[in-house]
Structures are given as C-alpha cells and as structure tokens.
Amino acid sequence: MLVRDQAAPVVQCDRETVVTLDRFGRATIPAGVFDDGSYDNCGLHSFKVMRMDGGDPCAQQISVPSDSVDFCCQDLNNLVTVLFMATDHSGNTNTCMVQVEVQDKTIPFIYCPHDVTIDCHEHIDRNDLSRFGTATASDNCDVTVTEIDSFHIDQCREGRIERIFVAGNAFGQTSCVQTIYIVNDAPFDSSDITWPLDFDTISCASDILDPANLPAAYGYPVVDEDICDLVGISYEDHTFRIVSGSDACYKVLRKWQVVNWCRFRDAYGNPIVYKYDQTIKVYNTVAPSI
C-alpha cells in the first residue's frame, strides 16, 4: 500500500503587520516572520514569501517566492501586499496575503555651520542668510530641512541672530542652532568729537547765544558717528554777571555733554559721559545815551 500526503497545509499569517526600515533605508524580513501558527498533518517543510508587486518600487524583479522579502524607502506611506506560502514535506502548499505597513523610525542627523561674529556695519539680508553657511542633514530615507531665523538686534545694530535648522521625516525631527553675533568693533568715543571753540561777542541780542545761531565752529559739537552709534548732545548754561579781571558784561559757561547711548556704561557699570566747558563772553562797546 502506498501512503501519500495530498493535504495542503493550514496556513495562518498576520493579515496586517508593520516593518521598520534600518539605518540604511532597507529591511530584509525572513518569511517565517509572517507566520501566525500555520500547521500541517505531516509537518511543515518551509516558508516562502514574495511581494505581489515583484519589488518594483525597490528596483527588484522577483517573480517567485523566496526565503525573505525586502522593503525600502519607496515603500513608506504605502501598504505593500505580500504573499506568504507554507509548504509541507510532500510539496503541498498553501498561501495567504499580508498587508505590510513600512515605517521609518530613524530620526535624521543634522549638522549646523559654526557660529560666526560679524561687524555691525555689515549689511545683512534678513531674507537670505546663506552666506553664513547652511546645515547638512542625513537620513536613511528622505529628509526635509527647514530654517527658522530669530533676530535679536537692538537699535545700535548689535545683538545676535539665531538660525534654527530642523531636519524632519515622517517619524520625527531633530534640530541644531547657529548663532551669528553682531558687534561694534569701533564704537564712538571721545576722539570722534570736535568741541566748539570759545566765543566772544558784542551783540546783546537775546537769541545770539543759541548754538544754532552761532557760527559752526562755535555752535554745536561736531560728532563723527555712524549707523552703529546713537549719540545724544545736551548743554547747560551757567551765567556769571560779574567777570573779575575782564571788561565783559557777563560770561556764559556752557557745559556740554555728549553720550553714546550704544555705549552708555563701561565694563563696571559706570556711565560714560563726555564733557566739555565752552566759554562765551558778551562785551558792551556801546556807550550809554544821556
């Protein structure tokens, strides 16, 4: 009597499963992973597996079941149908279908350009900071890099710019920061001030002593400021009606103060104020009428 096994195996497979790509953007899954309790009356011999699309998205052309199946980045966001086959020792086979969801759980790497320091006189294009470098991102699959710029620049054009680079994929994101420091290497100081000369006049007009009405060399201090300075000028007059040792009617001691609000305090917190005293004398050369 010849005994034959002609009964196909009872195949059971995961109807839906998830596959995660490795750091190279690929995943090779053995056929047995898809088994969910298949059995046979005389025992199982092997498991085979095959993509129903032949692996075309991953540049494969596989038309027969094999011991494993490959997945790649092109499978992300798609359900891949896989045929699972169980074979017994007599060559009887049975199959079932599995829906595979391919995921990428590798977070991208991102590398920022080095921090830099620039002078406040340099022109900065807020819409294009690429001249300060750009971030480099890598991932096992596709990665998207976005840039978020944060400006912290005061009215003296000093401060910093933070460039936040974010690399992301479907699973997550990572970021790095480049800081651009903006400084004034040559701030305004006393050497940039030309103080007014002392002034003598015989005019008694009430507005003659207004700095705006005096000749340029005797009026307001001349300051050499630029776009990184914010200079303020003020004065206070002290009038002396009796001028000993002089034939002047009266003398005005004009006390000037110049402040660079961009450098208002020194390293110790003390105010930086540039001061100068200008002397203005008023003479009366007209004799009284009787």
Side-chain angles (χ1 to χ4, degrees), residues 13-289:
C13 58
D14 297 318
R15 298 299 179 184
E16 296 180 356
T17 190
V18 175
V19 169
T20 301
L21 300 178
D22 61 18
R23 64 189 181 94
F24 301 105
R26 302 193 69 85
T28 299
I29 309 300
V33 171
F34 301 98
D35 178 44
D36 193 26
S38 302
Y39 62 92
D40 183 72
N41 55 347
C42 292
L44 292 171
H45 176 262
S46 65
F47 295 133
K48 299 289 184 178
V49 67
M50 181 184 71
R51 294 175 56 135
M52 295 305 294
D53 60 8
D56 185 63
C58 300
Q60 300 174 350
Q61 295 295 328
I62 301 174
S63 58
V64 295
S66 58
D67 294 333
S68 62
V69 63
D70 291 336
F71 300 93
C72 63
C73 293
Q74 285 68 27
D75 295 322
L76 292 174
N77 303 318
N78 296 313
L79 287 177
V80 180
T81 302
V82 170
L83 179 143
F84 172 72
M85 176 185 294
T87 304
D88 64 15
H89 292 282
S90 298
N92 300 308
T93 63
N94 204 352
T95 62
C96 63
M97 297 295 180
V98 181
Q99 295 293 315
V100 179
E101 179 186 350
V102 181
Q103 296 182 352
D104 175 19
K105 295 185 179 180
T106 301
I107 297 179
F109 291 95
I110 189 166
Y111 307 92
C112 271
H114 295 299
D115 294 346
V116 295
T117 300
I118 64 173
D119 188 82
C120 63
H121 299 88
E122 291 189 35
H123 172 71
I124 299 175
D125 185 350
R126 287 175 172 255
N127 298 316
D128 183 10
L129 300 174
S130 59
R131 71 185 180 94
F132 301 109
T134 186
T136 302
S138 62
D139 188 58
N140 57 345
C141 292
D142 294 333
V143 58
T144 301
V145 178
T146 57
E147 178 180 346
I148 303 171
D149 298 329
S150 179
F151 294 85
H152 307 274
I153 304 175
D154 59 23
Q155 58 186 350
C156 301
R157 296 173 60 94
E158 292 186 278
R160 71 186 189 280
I161 303 173
E162 293 178 350
R163 303 175 71 198
I164 305 172
F165 295 92
V166 181
N169 57 20
F171 179 67
Q173 61 184 29
T174 187
S175 63
C176 63
V177 179
Q178 179 200 32
T179 302
I180 302 171
Y181 297 98
I182 307 171
V183 300
N184 187 354
D185 290 329
F188 176 92
D189 60 22
S190 59
S191 64
D192 297 309
I193 306 173
T194 301
W195 298 106
L197 302 175
D198 292 341
F199 182 67
D200 292 349
T201 181
I202 60 174
S203 174
C204 293
S206 59
D207 60 349
I208 188 61
L209 299 186
D210 187 329
N213 297 328
L214 292 176
Y218 308 96
Y220 284 98
V222 178
V223 296
D224 183 16
E225 62 175 323
D226 56 35
I227 58 175
C228 296
D229 299 315
L230 189 62
V231 177
I233 301 175
S234 65
Y235 69 90
E236 183 179 276
D237 285 345
H238 296 256
T239 302
F240 300 87
R241 293 296 176 179
I242 300 177
V243 184
S244 60
S246 172
D247 56 352
C249 295
Y250 63 92
K251 178 177 71 174
V252 175
L253 191 62
R254 179 160 290 168
K255 292 183 173 293
W256 291 100
Q257 290 189 348
V258 175
V259 175
N260 178 18
W261 295 107
C262 294
R263 285 290 188 280
F264 181 58
R265 296 187 182 278
D266 60 20
Y268 303 99
N270 301 315
I272 302 176
V273 182
Y274 305 106
K275 299 180 179 181
Y276 179 79
D277 292 342
Q278 177 191 20
T279 300
I280 300 174
K281 293 180 181 179
V282 179
Y283 295 88
N284 185 0
T285 59
V286 179
S289 298

